[in-house]
Amino acid sequence: MDENETMDPEIIKGLFEQGLMGIETSADHGGAESSFTAAVIAIEELAKIDPSVSVMCDVHNTLVNTIFRTYATKEQQDKYLPLLAGSQLGSFCLSEPASGSDAFALQTRAEKKGDHWVLNGSKMWITNSKEAEIFLVFATVDPSKGYKGITCFVVEKDMGIEIAKKEQKLGIRASSTCTLNFDDVKVPLENVIGGEEMVGKGYKIAIEILNEGRIGIAGQMLGLAQGAFDKAVPYTYQRKQFGTAIGEFQGMAHQMANIATEIEAARLLTYNAARLKEEGKPFTKEAAMAKYYASVVAQKAAGSAIEWAGGVGFTRETGIEKFWRDSKIGAIYEGTSNIQLNTIAKFLQKQYS
């Protein structure tokens, strides 16, 4: 899949069949009715093998499903949650060419015309967009109101979304990342997430859901780090130089001990953030810490794993180099590392000033 930069449809089908696409969704809606922590662990475990599959599962569960469970009307939940748990992939559409970290600078417009909304604009860097059937699209109904004009719409693929340029990326290549175009796309009035009363309140959805999503990305980066570690370390005890397994040399052993400790620290940060979220306690700072630190550890662990395996690690044969390529995105999407540090710093300032 990495070589072809395409997600295998059988993988998507398998995720649905195994109940991994509706982890927190209620049994009444066809889901597993499990916990947020269970979702994070599933994301972590998938990333040990392929972070592309992991992020597909992550976005579908922690962003798309959660928005429906938390903000949608009962009618919207009854219609879409069974589809999302059973067969149809979801996509979260916020970023645009001119709005990345400054997400609320988005320019996609939604105009109310009779019994429907008309959407015009473009979205960029949209995960799952090639394979998705259900899209959550953020658009402004009134640019003069700034972020208070932003509204979240449910848009089905066959309503007229154009799946445009598919990005060719350094890593997570099997995960589709495309530009989406909306040219007079008609969306029923009832497809505003949460109903009419939520018009202009999409910013609230975006802020709150991305805090939760960052824990999912922390889980992905954690699993990636562990996957790279698990692939490289056994090799160090098989490869001998000067009559000794290279993993037994103190310099190498200390490097592995250090990375193992950092992976465990990232795991505890991630699980703690998930615990706080489940308990209904404030978790924004902890989510930022988990996402930031897990992405740092992922890059460090994957890079070290290549070096531990030497020339073999640098080849594509082992798959270790793929973990490093995939790790770079952790410092970029769902809030860059600098955005996470800003968030943490603001909490510290509030606490100590």
Side-chain angles (χ1 to χ4, degrees):
M1 294 193 299
D2 184 70
E3 290 285 343
N4 295 327
E5 301 191 22
T6 303
M7 184 64 65
D8 185 344
E10 289 300 311
I11 294 290
I12 302 175
K13 181 181 177 183
L15 289 173
F16 280 108
E17 290 176 346
Q18 295 299 317
L20 294 174
M21 301 304 263
I23 296 174
E24 295 179 84
T25 301
S26 70
D28 289 342
H29 289 126
E33 202 166 327
S34 193
S35 67
F36 177 67
T37 298
V40 172
I41 291 173
I43 293 161
E44 176 189 351
E45 291 298 314
L46 289 170
K48 290 178 182 179
I49 307 301
D50 192 339
S52 290
V53 177
S54 174
V55 74
M56 179 175 66
C57 179
D58 172 36
V59 168
H60 185 89
N61 277 284
T62 68
L63 298 183
V64 178
N65 285 346
T66 302
I67 286 177
F68 276 103
R69 289 196 327 274
T70 307
Y71 301 101
T73 64
K74 184 180 185 302
E75 291 74 19
Q76 291 167 345
Q77 291 174 346
D78 291 344
K79 178 178 180 179
Y80 289 106
L81 282 174
L83 296 174
L84 290 164
S87 62
Q88 294 192 11
L89 191 63
S91 183
F92 177 86
C93 310
L94 179 63
S95 296
E96 297 184 3
S99 63
S101 293
D102 184 10
F104 295 154
L106 61 81
Q107 298 175 4
T108 298
R109 289 290 309 275
E111 295 183 70
K112 193 174 184 179
K113 294 186 177 181
D115 62 352
H116 56 265
W117 292 89
V118 178
L119 270 59
N120 282 283
S122 295
K123 295 292 179 179
M124 197 172 186
W125 315 115
I126 305 303
T127 301
N128 292 351
S129 47
K130 182 181 178 182
E131 302 85 6
E133 298 289 338
I134 299 169
F135 298 78
L136 291 176
V137 180
F138 290 82
T140 181
V141 300
D142 187 349
S144 69
K145 292 183 178 179
Y147 69 88
K148 291 187 178 180
I150 296 172
T151 304
C152 182
F153 297 88
V154 188
V155 185
E156 298 174 22
K157 187 175 184 177
D158 59 11
M159 289 179 180
I161 299 175
E162 179 192 357
I163 313 300
K165 178 188 175 186
K166 181 177 182 293
E167 302 295 341
Q168 293 181 302
K169 307 189 299 292
L170 170 71
I172 57 167
R173 293 176 176 175
S175 169
S176 63
T177 305
C178 303
T179 295
L180 305 181
N181 293 327
F182 301 85
D183 296 315
D184 290 331
V185 174
K186 293 183 178 180
V187 179
L189 292 181
E190 62 267 24
N191 278 36
V192 172
I193 281 287
E196 185 70 21
E197 66 185 48
M198 288 298 286
V199 172
K201 296 180 181 177
Y203 71 93
K204 181 176 183 290
I205 297 174
I207 288 174
E208 294 182 0
I209 204 66
L210 286 174
N211 286 330
E212 181 170 334
R214 284 164 185 161
I215 306 175
I217 296 300
Q220 182 205 23
M221 290 295 112
L222 169 60
L224 186 158
Q226 191 68 63
F229 189 87
D230 291 347
K231 265 193 177 279
V233 172
Y235 176 82
T236 69
Y237 295 114
Q238 298 163 6
R239 170 72 168 170
K240 290 189 176 182
Q241 290 289 278
F242 309 104
T244 303
I246 60 174
E248 294 179 14
F249 288 112
Q250 189 179 64
M252 182 75 81
H254 284 187
Q255 290 180 44
M256 294 190 296
N258 183 54
I259 294 294
T261 302
E262 293 184 352
I263 291 173
E264 190 62 22
R267 180 171 288 111
L268 294 175
L269 280 170
T270 302
Y271 289 3
N272 181 57
R275 175 187 64 82
L276 291 172
K277 187 269 174 188
E278 282 191 8
E279 293 178 356
K281 297 178 180 178
F283 66 91
T284 301
K285 179 184 72 174
E286 289 76 11
M289 287 178 167
K291 199 266 186 184
Y292 165 71
Y293 189 68
S295 68
V296 170
V297 171
Q299 288 191 46
K300 186 175 179 180
S304 295
I306 292 172
E307 295 175 19
W308 297 340
V312 172
F314 195 69
T315 68
R316 295 186 184 182
E317 184 177 349
T318 62
I320 296 173
E321 56 83 33
K322 179 182 179 299
F323 283 112
W324 182 81
R325 289 189 287 105
D326 289 350
S327 74
K328 299 300 290 184
I329 192 61
I332 300 172
Y333 63 7
E334 292 204 33
T336 65
S337 288
N338 282 342
I339 290 294
Q340 306 314 312
L341 291 172
N342 279 348
T343 299
I344 297 164
K346 287 177 182 177
F347 276 94
L348 294 177
Q349 181 180 7
K350 184 177 180 180
Q351 181 179 354
Y352 289 102
S353 65

